[in-house]
Amino acid sequence: ANPISFIAGPCQLEGRDHALMMAEKVAEAMAPTGSKFIFKSSYDKANRSSIGSSRGIGMDEGLKILQEVRETFGCPVITDVHETTHCPGVAEVVDIIQIPAFLCRQTDLLLAAGNTGKPLNVKKGQFLAPWEMGNVAEKIKTTGNDQVMLCERGTSFGYNTLVNDFRGLPTMAETGCPVIFDATHSVQQPGGRGNSSGGERKFVETVARAAVAVGVAGLFIETHEDPDNAPCDGPNMIPVDQLARLIGQLVELDQLTKAHRA
Amino acid sequence: ANPISFIAGPCQLEGRDHALMMAEKVAEAMAPTGSKFIFKSSYDKANRSSIGSSRGIGMDEGLKILQEVRETFGCPVITDVHETTHCPGVAEVVDIIQIPAFLCRQTDLLLAAGNTGKPLNVKKGQFLAPWEMGNVAEKIKTTGNDQVMLCERGTSFGYNTLVNDFRGLPTMAETGCPVIFDATHSVQQPGGRGNSSGGERKFVETVARAAVAVGVAGLFIETHEDPDNAPCDGPNMIPVDQLARLIGQLVELDQLTKAHRA
Amino acid sequence: ANPISFIAGPCQLEGRDHALMMAEKVAEAMAPTGSKFIFKSSYDKANRSSIGSSRGIGMDEGLKILQEVRETFGCPVITDVHETTHCPGVAEVVDIIQIPAFLCRQTDLLLAAGNTGKPLNVKKGQFLAPWEMGNVAEKIKTTGNDQVMLCERGTSFGYNTLVNDFRGLPTMAETGCPVIFDATHSVQQPGGRGNSSGGERKFVETVARAAVAVGVAGLFIETHEDPDNAPCDGPNMIPVDQLARLIGQLVELDQLTKAHRA
Amino acid sequence: ANPISFIAGPCQLEGRDHALMMAEKVAEAMAPTGSKFIFKSSYDKANRSSIGSSRGIGMDEGLKILQEVRETFGCPVITDVHETTHCPGVAEVVDIIQIPAFLCRQTDLLLAAGNTGKPLNVKKGQFLAPWEMGNVAEKIKTTGNDQVMLCERGTSFGYNTLVNDFRGLPTMAETGCPVIFDATHSVQQPGGRGNSSGGERKFVETVARAAVAVGVAGLFIETHEDPDNAPCDGPNMIPVDQLARLIGQLVELDQLTKAHRA
């Protein structure tokens, strides 16, 4: 199996300078292990808890920034789409298209994204069992695109709480698709702050370690230079200055796990 | 409080003749109690479990049929939308626009539907707590449209299972929005049949009675002349020839409940 | 079907005078409808959240008080047991023995209670599916005692929260056992206050109405003259001065439900 | 932190020869890593799903066998208690007393076990949040016994299913108690076979790896030479001939984890 790769970046694009600064810091955190990373950031938060929350800078400006990050750092970039009509434009810039968890059953969006020919990272809906993601992958593969990654980001567990069922990782891997683990949204507390989601950043390391020891192709992790003042997902993003240490440990864990599996 | 009204019809539009036949049967089932009903059917099943499932007859033909049902039986009609771009066209025909549960947090869809000025019936996501629906209603109300109904259709409970938390009905009613109870999707077993959802039709009466005794503005109930051979949601729809008896009992329960509340 | 009967009383025996006072108030609340009731109170709270919580007055004194309530008001009495060795002594006084939810799988306790020949009310464990209660009833019936009632009091739903699945009522009724609904523990928030359980008294009426409209043999409801200062389960008990109104409405609902079922 | 130790053995004592044979095989599996292990087996299955299931050989014979295992292999032994009256007798033989999950809130049992002065391993109830186990430990510590281990074995997740929330491991560790992870009961499907519990043995390695990578003091794992024909918990026990390989990998993972934590 390949060494673990990372999807990392700030939840939301906050501007050109911020994105470039964050990409640089992420690149620095990857340097000691030489890990591959894909820069992730969103141009539109289309399903915020409440109307008062920040939506983002929009598709045109967002894609321009992602393009510049890509060229500057030579790293692939990923972003999420919410409308079928956005897929072709997004595909011109990004290396991977992400399908949000709430939308993972929307056939038209899956097909539009699949039709771009780009690899897709599909988040498992909080309302789906891991074994239901095989049908999701099949929908996409009818477009002739079989570059599908499946991503665990937690399952509904009572109200305002998610739980990761780690049995879901090998279950999703049985589809043949690479499995990604989203370590920061997994510790989200959806709607937990009334008008926005809470989160428990202190558990990111816990769930990330568990996932890597079970075995994954990649880890998704949102990070920020000042999470407590980030416009989105602050309570669960980790400070970027803690990223290098975490990556270092996860890479060691991954090596041991893949040696065991070999 | 007004007497309970009903949203009823076959899950999916199967053709003009079928829709007219079903609308007639639903109208007959309502006649003994003189209950108001809104005819419901979908022109597109946009989030089926698997790609092999029937999608439906499409928007143009579907709206034509709904228009004819509306004129023939003098009843309001409701259908669900999945794309922002569909909202204006749908609004030209239907009396109420429905937002599917998976999409209840998609801000653009809520705003596009709200902007039509039509009343909306928003299903609570299986991944949301009842108290999170206040934020959903608020999103819509920023369009100036405050005709928002909130609809309970079950909450994720482990895998492939939903549960109704009836405390959610008064909780959602605190928003001031009328609350609808979806008695047939509530007994769905999402993904429970591998490539499609299962369901437990035998419990429709149970959950419908519970909801009406707690107090609701309306009841949503899908029905079919031959559910076991329906293209969609067969396991949870009730046979239309059992509808009149159920409606009769629910209306009596509703009268008693609203007398208690008066 | 027989009219609904009620199991009612304060969670915990607080002394002779308190029990007699409460029994009188409960009897008064039943008088307008002429409903049968069984007086419930516990002599020992053997599984409190924390060691600092009040345990109760003990078996000897408790049984004496229950005996006096029984003689004074001519009502049957019920209490719960936690040890096999208590069953014979308790059976000398009470009319029904209750098995707590946490203990509903303890074979020795079920057999010891069954061997007394007294009717049993077994609460469904928060960790059990409704259909697992058939095995529980079967264990008891091997003693030759087939007077078994099964009682719904909520199922674990995430952390610190219970949910009632009303489909469980007909499911448990398929065993042939009378089904009781516990309206006050169902709205408990287990461990929700750190060192003790919280609760949402405001939803007692909601869940009680739902249960009665679905159809039950009896309703369990804990009540107190001053719940906020009760030694146990205060957040979910209802004030006894609200009991008569609630009973009146539930009896009307029950009559309608049983007419529908006849 | 100390190297991980193991609690291992067959679910149920099946006789002297079987226990000695199993203890020898467990000892052999530990030899390559030199890991400490505590032999676990039960003399009484007091809460089986149904009355037809095997209960076990009883306390007197069971303790005699455990005593012989202890002397023959020089390993500590652990067994579970279900009655307060059993605690003193059990404490004369075993090194650690285990409190079953269903009984983890029974104050009298906790105190009786605590009063023996023996270390206790308390399983977290399937109905409890991890943070509620602090109160459980506190109950025991009032006896002056502070040798309390807390053990994760899954939390109720819908019906007939458990899920491990790995955030619960550091949460329980905040009490200062060593945390044990039960890898075989965690994959149980309670009541999943109608009259008995099912299980998914294939996920034992998955959840064990996750737990060890998060960090635990010990791992609990039930094993049998022929699980499919074992009298109890067959679907989730692992074949003893696979134990050495699993232990070997877990010890390597544990070393890496504890190096990261140091």
Side-chain angles (χ1 to χ4, degrees):
Chain A
N2 292 324
I4 190 169
S5 58
F6 295 90
I7 299 174
C11 179
Q12 186 168 343
L13 281 167
E14 299 176 29
R16 174 190 172 277
D17 294 349
H18 184 261
L20 290 169
M21 180 271 288
M22 285 302 306
E24 185 167 11
K25 288 185 183 293
V26 169
E28 287 168 6
M30 301 293 162
T33 54
S35 298
K36 287 192 194 166
F37 77 98
I38 301 120
F39 185 77
K40 185 267 166 184
S41 207
S42 297
Y43 61 80
D44 184 18
K45 308 308 296 178
N47 57 22
R48 299 297 300 264
S49 296
S50 77
I51 193 75
S53 308
S54 154
R55 277 291 293 264
I57 59 177
M59 179 168 154
D60 288 348
E61 191 176 346
L63 290 177
K64 244 180 268 173
I65 295 171
L66 290 172
Q67 175 83 9
E68 189 171 347
V69 167
R70 195 175 187 276
E71 289 165 0
T72 309
F73 297 94
C75 62
V77 297
I78 181 172
T79 201
D80 46 339
V81 294
H82 299 80
E83 299 275 345
T84 54
T85 52
H86 288 193
C87 292
V90 167
E92 283 176 29
V93 171
V94 306
D95 300 275
I96 307 179
I97 295 178
Q98 182 164 292
I99 305 292
F102 290 163
L103 300 181
C104 74
R105 280 275 291 270
Q106 302 306 314
T107 305
D108 289 332
L109 184 64
L110 295 171
L111 299 181
N115 278 324
T116 64
K118 291 284 176 183
L120 306 188
N121 181 34
V122 189
K123 298 213 174 172
K124 185 185 82 58
Q126 300 87 338
F127 44 86
L128 284 188
W131 48 85
E132 295 182 74
M133 290 301 285
N135 285 327
V136 169
E138 286 308 312
K139 284 188 185 179
I140 296 165
K141 290 178 182 174
T142 62
T143 65
N145 182 345
D146 63 0
Q147 298 182 84
V148 182
M149 294 176 279
L150 302 179
C151 181
E152 158 69 7
R153 52 93 78 234
T155 299
S156 292
F157 179 64
Y159 293 134
N160 301 128
T161 309
L162 301 170
V163 71
N164 291 306
D165 181 355
F166 286 94
R167 296 169 298 195
L169 302 182
T171 299
M172 292 198 293
E174 282 172 20
T175 60
C177 298
V179 173
I180 310 295
F181 181 76
D182 178 342
T184 44
H185 290 97
S186 289
V187 303
Q188 215 179 28
Q189 296 171 315
R193 292 186 165 184
N195 290 324
S196 66
S197 290
E200 295 184 291
R201 185 188 303 149
K202 66 175 175 176
F203 291 126
V204 168
E205 184 174 324
T206 296
V207 296
R209 291 184 66 88
V212 173
V214 169
V216 290
L219 196 92
F220 178 108
I221 189 159
E222 288 186 346
T223 183
H224 195 271
E225 88 283 6
D226 180 13
D228 290 333
N229 293 299
C232 180
D233 271 328
N236 49 288
M237 284 198 284
I238 68 158
V240 73
D241 59 12
Q242 299 176 9
L243 190 59
R245 180 187 153 280
L246 179 59
I247 297 296
Q249 296 192 352
L250 296 177
V251 166
E252 290 183 351
L253 259 180
D254 179 65
Q255 288 166 345
L256 182 58
T257 297
K258 286 170 183 166
H260 287 163
R261 293 277 189 262
Chain B
N2 291 323
I4 191 169
S5 58
F6 296 90
I7 298 174
C11 178
Q12 187 168 345
L13 280 166
E14 299 177 28
R16 174 189 172 276
D17 294 348
H18 184 261
L20 289 169
M21 179 271 286
M22 284 303 305
E24 183 168 10
K25 286 185 184 293
V26 170
E28 286 168 6
M30 301 293 162
T33 53
S35 297
K36 287 191 194 167
F37 77 99
I38 300 122
F39 185 77
K40 186 267 166 184
S41 208
S42 296
Y43 60 82
D44 183 17
K45 307 309 295 177
N47 58 21
R48 297 298 299 263
S49 295
S50 77
I51 193 76
S53 309
S54 155
R55 278 290 293 263
I57 58 177
M59 179 167 152
D60 289 347
E61 190 176 347
L63 290 178
K64 244 181 267 172
I65 295 171
L66 289 173
Q67 174 84 11
E68 188 170 347
V69 166
R70 194 175 187 278
E71 288 165 2
T72 309
F73 296 95
C75 62
V77 297
I78 182 172
T79 201
D80 47 340
V81 293
H82 300 79
E83 299 275 347
T84 53
T85 52
H86 287 195
C87 293
V90 167
E92 283 177 28
V93 170
V94 306
D95 300 274
I96 306 180
I97 295 178
Q98 182 165 291
I99 305 292
F102 289 163
L103 300 182
C104 74
R105 280 276 290 270
Q106 303 305 314
T107 306
D108 289 332
L109 185 63
L110 295 172
L111 298 183
N115 278 324
T116 65
K118 291 285 177 181
L120 305 188
N121 181 34
V122 189
K123 297 210 174 176
K124 185 186 80 60
Q126 299 87 338
F127 45 85
L128 283 189
W131 49 84
E132 295 182 74
M133 291 301 285
N135 285 327
V136 170
E138 286 308 311
K139 283 187 185 178
I140 297 166
K141 290 179 183 174
T142 62
T143 65
N145 182 345
D146 62 0
Q147 298 183 84
V148 182
M149 293 176 280
L150 302 178
C151 181
E152 158 69 9
R153 53 90 80 232
T155 299
S156 291
F157 179 66
Y159 293 135
N160 302 128
T161 309
L162 301 171
V163 70
N164 290 307
D165 180 354
F166 286 95
R167 295 169 298 194
L169 303 182
T171 300
M172 292 199 292
E174 282 172 19
T175 60
C177 298
V179 173
I180 310 295
F181 182 77
D182 178 342
T184 45
H185 289 96
S186 288
V187 302
Q188 214 179 27
Q189 295 171 315
R193 290 186 166 184
N195 290 323
S196 66
S197 291
E200 295 184 291
R201 185 188 303 148
K202 66 176 174 175
F203 291 126
V204 169
E205 183 173 325
T206 296
V207 297
R209 291 185 65 88
V212 173
V214 169
V216 289
L219 197 93
F220 179 108
I221 190 158
E222 288 187 347
T223 183
H224 195 272
E225 88 284 7
D226 181 14
D228 290 334
N229 294 299
C232 180
D233 272 329
N236 50 288
M237 283 198 285
I238 68 160
V240 72
D241 60 13
Q242 298 176 12
L243 190 59
R245 179 188 153 280
L246 179 58
I247 298 294
Q249 296 190 355
L250 296 178
V251 166
E252 290 183 350
L253 259 181
D254 179 65
Q255 288 165 345
L256 182 58
T257 297
K258 285 170 183 166
H260 287 164
R261 292 279 189 262
Chain C
N2 292 322
I4 191 170
S5 58
F6 295 90
I7 299 174
C11 179
Q12 186 167 346
L13 281 166
E14 298 176 29
R16 174 188 172 276
D17 293 350
H18 185 261
L20 290 169
M21 180 271 287
M22 284 302 306
E24 185 168 8
K25 286 184 183 296
V26 170
E28 286 168 7
M30 301 293 163
T33 53
S35 298
K36 286 191 194 168
F37 77 98
I38 300 121
F39 185 77
K40 185 270 167 182
S41 207
S42 297
Y43 61 79
D44 184 18
K45 308 310 296 178
N47 56 22
R48 298 297 300 263
S49 295
S50 78
I51 193 75
S53 308
S54 155
R55 277 290 293 263
I57 59 177
M59 178 168 154
D60 288 347
E61 190 178 346
L63 291 178
K64 243 180 267 174
I65 295 171
L66 289 173
Q67 175 83 11
E68 189 172 346
V69 166
R70 194 175 188 275
E71 287 165 2
T72 307
F73 296 95
C75 63
V77 297
I78 182 172
T79 201
D80 47 339
V81 294
H82 299 80
E83 299 277 345
T84 54
T85 52
H86 287 194
C87 292
V90 167
E92 283 176 28
V93 170
V94 305
D95 299 275
I96 306 178
I97 294 178
Q98 182 165 292
I99 305 292
F102 288 164
L103 301 181
C104 74
R105 279 278 290 271
Q106 302 306 313
T107 306
D108 288 333
L109 185 64
L110 295 172
L111 298 182
N115 277 323
T116 65
K118 290 286 176 181
L120 305 188
N121 181 35
V122 189
K123 297 211 174 173
K124 185 184 82 58
Q126 298 87 338
F127 44 85
L128 284 188
W131 48 84
E132 296 182 75
M133 290 301 285
N135 285 328
V136 169
E138 286 309 311
K139 283 187 184 179
I140 297 166
K141 290 179 183 174
T142 62
T143 65
N145 182 345
D146 62 359
Q147 298 182 84
V148 182
M149 295 176 280
L150 302 178
C151 181
E152 158 70 7
R153 53 92 77 234
T155 299
S156 292
F157 179 65
Y159 293 136
N160 302 128
T161 309
L162 301 170
V163 70
N164 291 306
D165 181 354
F166 286 96
R167 296 169 298 194
L169 303 181
T171 299
M172 292 200 291
E174 282 172 19
T175 61
C177 299
V179 173
I180 311 295
F181 181 76
D182 179 342
T184 43
H185 289 96
S186 289
V187 302
Q188 215 179 27
Q189 295 171 316
R193 291 186 165 183
N195 290 323
S196 66
S197 290
E200 295 185 291
R201 186 187 302 148
K202 67 176 174 175
F203 290 127
V204 169
E205 184 174 324
T206 296
V207 296
R209 291 185 66 88
V212 173
V214 169
V216 288
L219 196 93
F220 178 109
I221 190 159
E222 288 186 347
T223 183
H224 195 274
E225 88 283 6
D226 182 14
D228 289 333
N229 293 298
C232 180
D233 272 329
N236 49 289
M237 285 197 285
I238 68 158
V240 72
D241 60 12
Q242 298 176 9
L243 189 59
R245 179 186 154 281
L246 179 59
I247 297 295
Q249 296 190 353
L250 296 178
V251 166
E252 290 183 351
L253 259 180
D254 178 66
Q255 287 165 346
L256 182 58
T257 297
K258 287 171 183 167
H260 287 164
R261 292 277 190 261
Chain D
N2 292 321
I4 191 168
S5 58
F6 295 90
I7 299 174
C11 179
Q12 185 168 345
L13 281 167
E14 299 177 28
R16 174 188 171 277
D17 293 350
H18 184 260
L20 289 168
M21 179 271 285
M22 285 302 306
E24 185 168 9
K25 287 184 183 294
V26 170
E28 286 168 6
M30 301 294 161
T33 53
S35 297
K36 287 192 195 165
F37 76 98
I38 300 122
F39 184 77
K40 186 269 165 182
S41 207
S42 297
Y43 60 79
D44 183 19
K45 307 309 295 178
N47 57 23
R48 298 297 300 264
S49 294
S50 78
I51 193 76
S53 308
S54 156
R55 278 289 292 263
I57 60 176
M59 178 169 155
D60 288 347
E61 191 176 347
L63 291 178
K64 245 181 264 173
I65 295 170
L66 289 173
Q67 175 83 11
E68 189 171 347
V69 166
R70 194 174 187 275
E71 288 165 2
T72 307
F73 296 95
C75 63
V77 297
I78 181 173
T79 200
D80 47 338
V81 293
H82 298 80
E83 299 275 344
T84 54
T85 52
H86 287 195
C87 292
V90 167
E92 283 177 28
V93 170
V94 306
D95 299 275
I96 305 179
I97 295 178
Q98 181 164 290
I99 305 292
F102 289 164
L103 300 182
C104 74
R105 279 276 291 270
Q106 303 304 314
T107 306
D108 288 333
L109 185 64
L110 295 171
L111 298 182
N115 278 324
T116 65
K118 291 285 178 183
L120 306 188
N121 181 34
V122 189
K123 297 209 173 175
K124 185 186 81 59
Q126 299 87 338
F127 44 86
L128 283 189
W131 48 85
E132 296 183 74
M133 290 301 284
N135 286 327
V136 169
E138 286 308 310
K139 283 187 185 179
I140 296 165
K141 290 179 183 175
T142 62
T143 66
N145 183 345
D146 62 0
Q147 299 182 84
V148 182
M149 295 176 280
L150 301 178
C151 180
E152 159 68 10
R153 53 91 79 232
T155 299
S156 292
F157 179 65
Y159 292 134
N160 302 129
T161 310
L162 300 171
V163 72
N164 291 306
D165 181 354
F166 287 95
R167 296 169 297 194
L169 303 182
T171 300
M172 292 199 293
E174 283 172 20
T175 61
C177 299
V179 172
I180 310 295
F181 181 77
D182 178 343
T184 45
H185 289 96
S186 288
V187 302
Q188 213 179 30
Q189 296 170 317
R193 290 185 166 185
N195 290 323
S196 66
S197 289
E200 293 184 292
R201 185 187 304 149
K202 66 176 174 175
F203 290 126
V204 170
E205 184 173 323
T206 297
V207 296
R209 291 184 65 88
V212 174
V214 170
V216 289
L219 197 93
F220 179 109
I221 190 159
E222 288 187 346
T223 184
H224 195 272
E225 87 284 5
D226 182 12
D228 290 334
N229 293 298
C232 180
D233 272 328
N236 49 289
M237 284 197 284
I238 68 159
V240 72
D241 59 12
Q242 298 176 11
L243 189 59
R245 180 188 153 280
L246 179 58
I247 297 295
Q249 296 191 353
L250 295 179
V251 166
E252 289 183 351
L253 258 182
D254 179 65
Q255 288 165 345
L256 182 58
T257 297
K258 287 171 184 165
H260 287 163
R261 292 277 189 263

